[in-house]
Amino acid sequence: MSPFADSRPLSNPKKPDPNTNIVRIDVGGQLFQTNKQTLSLAGPKSLLSKIFDSSEKYTTPFIDRDPELFSILLSLLRTGNLPSKAKSLDLEDLISESQFYGIENLLVQSLSNPSQFEPFNLEKSTILPLSGRESPSAISTTPFGSVHVAHGSKITSFDWSLRRKSTILTEFTAVDSLLALSPSVAAAGATDFSGLQVIDLEKGFVRETLTWENVTRSSSTVQAIGSSPDYLFTSFESGRRNSNSIMVYDLQDSFRPVTEIGHSEIFGADLDSAIPATKLSWVSSYNLLMASGSHSGPSGVVGNIKLWDIRSGTVVWELKEKVDCFADVTVSDNLSAIYKVGMNSGEVFFVDLRNIGNENSWVCLGDSRKVTGGKKEGIGCKIESRGNQVFCSKGGDLELWSEIMIGSLRKGEHGLEDRVFRKNSMGRVKDMGGSRITRLGFGGNKMFVTRKDQQFVEVWQSSVRGF
């Protein structure tokens, strides 16, 4: 039956003009007027679009729903934002109503849009509790704020509103790597379990298991996962820990293997010849894959950072780390730079990607005298980029680094303008401190933070109009 089968005639005896641009809708006994252009913003698959297809041109469609909630959603259609009076309503009711009309995507755009992310106004707003005793071991987000959290052998998912929560049990003893492919699908792996699993988190089953056949035909454990719009990247290491590789799979073609890059073997006692990648990041503006990894050996902590051209399977740039090797590293497309936090110094450094063809060296943004101090101040520090900012954890606190656009004409070593960055402390005083930060994630207009020995996820965000 058509949703407008119970259409009611107007109380005014004058019949509506079928050629007018004005549309009248009776919702729960309350009459609303809008125009066809506004309703078209709901999308062709929405319930409201069916008003255009209704053959009953001389009656007012009747929808047996709450008129107060409809008025809020109509305002959303008109302006793209929720009105201030929406604060008096329950978000769950609005979500349910938007799903009925088929316009939940517009509600998401209004309340959890990445463009609303305001790094300088972030405050700790809520916590997401996790079941069990295990602390989060991995976290991954979607662009509009859904978040998946691995803790022990479980993966808990929260939808974009953070109101709906589900938990599944995996085959892993503990999940070490996690990547959200969608709000309901994630790729997961572990350093002590063979194979990468693509898991349907709604239905709780493994869609695909991807493996790497190494020379020794031993198990292939997962060290890192990354993705681009078209490809899934997985860093594998053999069970004997004497070889590793990065596999590239086609996300648009049922995870078909596309190519293998970075295959390395350990020869003799030269452990540095085959350090597996433990972080994979796609650099879209350069069409390159950043792969980084480190390990502790007789000479201290050493590592390497490589930029791969996956089409040719070649390394276009490599940096070997020996002095003040990175505790963590990230790449920013917006800022066109790679950032690290030094293991010894605990300071933030950057390399300008615009100098990619030159002999690059790290530029210290903090106290460069700490580089050779040997105090290991950077152990456990995390660094991630989001938009035009870089976030670095120091124990239980967070630093926010931003580039200052000073318009200087002073040229640097390679003919580019010198770059200046400034550090800011984050959050209110009461938000800072606490256990050591172990993970950072970003989705929608939110930042997600996990801490050592804590069975929950912190949510940081700035206020959003309407809620």
Side-chain angles (χ1 to χ4, degrees), residues 386-444:
R386 172 66 162 78
N388 292 324
Q389 279 73 38
V390 176
F391 299 79
C392 181
S393 71
K394 298 288 184 69
D397 294 331
L398 275 170
E399 296 177 352
L400 171 61
W401 288 89
S402 304
E403 185 170 15
I404 307 300
M405 308 306 293
I406 57 176
S408 171
L409 298 179
R410 186 179 58 185
K411 300 294 183 179
E413 181 180 349
H414 300 292
L416 296 172
E417 291 183 4
D418 282 338
R419 305 179 69 177
V420 178
F421 294 84
R422 288 289 183 265
K423 177 178 68 175
N424 296 273
S425 297
M426 285 196 60
R428 300 163 295 187
V429 173
K430 66 178 182 179
D431 293 334
M432 303 311 295
S435 301
R436 176 173 60 84
I437 293 172
T438 55
R439 295 286 185 277
L440 296 172
F442 302 89

Side-chain angles (χ1 to χ4, degrees), residues 27-220:
V27 181
Q30 184 173 331
L31 189 65
F32 292 88
Q33 288 195 140
T34 184
N35 58 50
K36 294 178 181 179
Q37 286 82 359
T38 296
L39 290 184
S40 69
L41 297 174
K45 295 182 180 180
S46 70
L47 178 63
L48 296 176
S49 69
K50 296 181 181 179
I51 292 177
F52 298 133
D53 302 325
S54 175
S55 60
E56 301 178 57
K57 302 294 185 181
Y58 295 98
T59 57
T60 300
F62 173 72
I63 305 175
D64 192 15
R65 303 294 287 192
D66 188 319
E68 184 179 19
L69 293 173
F70 181 79
S71 70
I72 298 296
L73 296 179
L74 187 57
S75 291
L76 176 63
L77 282 173
R78 287 167 172 161
T79 67
N81 297 303
L82 289 175
S84 58
K85 63 181 179 181
K87 291 182 179 181
S88 63
L89 301 175
D90 189 286
L91 180 57
E92 284 286 356
D93 292 338
L94 274 178
I95 294 172
S96 176
E97 206 70 0
S98 69
Q99 290 172 338
F100 173 81
Y101 290 107
I103 58 172
E104 185 181 11
N105 62 310
L106 299 180
L107 195 61
V108 174
Q109 289 275 359
S110 174
L111 294 179
S112 191
N113 197 310
S115 65
Q116 298 166 340
F117 185 77
E118 299 180 7
F120 295 101
N121 294 319
L122 290 177
E123 297 178 351
K124 191 187 302 183
S125 60
T126 188
I127 62 170
L128 306 177
L130 304 171
S131 59
R133 299 179 179 179
E134 299 89 357
S135 300
S137 56
I139 186 171
S140 187
T141 61
T142 63
F144 282 92
S146 300
V147 59
H148 307 310
V149 187
H151 49 115
S153 58
K154 299 182 286 293
I155 299 176
T156 295
S157 302
F158 298 86
D159 77 330
W160 68 269
S161 69
L162 308 180
R163 301 296 183 95
R164 286 166 286 182
K165 169 185 174 183
S166 62
T167 301
I168 67 163
L169 192 63
T170 70
E171 298 179 60
F172 305 106
T173 303
V175 178
D176 298 303
S177 298
L178 186 66
L179 178 70
L181 301 179
S182 76
S184 60
V185 178
T191 57
D192 61 353
F193 193 96
S194 185
L196 175 77
Q197 294 186 358
V198 179
I199 305 174
D200 187 313
L201 299 171
E202 278 189 353
K203 300 178 180 178
F205 74 94
V206 177
R207 286 189 177 182
E208 299 278 348
T209 298
L210 309 175
T211 59
W212 169 57
E213 292 189 9
N214 53 79
V215 175
T216 60
R217 298 191 179 278
S218 60
S219 61
S220 53

Side-chain angles (χ1 to χ4, degrees), residues 10 24 83 89 134 241 288 308 464:
L10 281 169
R24 297 177 178 85
L89 301 175
E134 299 89 357
R241 304 188 69 181
L288 298 173
W308 287 92
V464 179

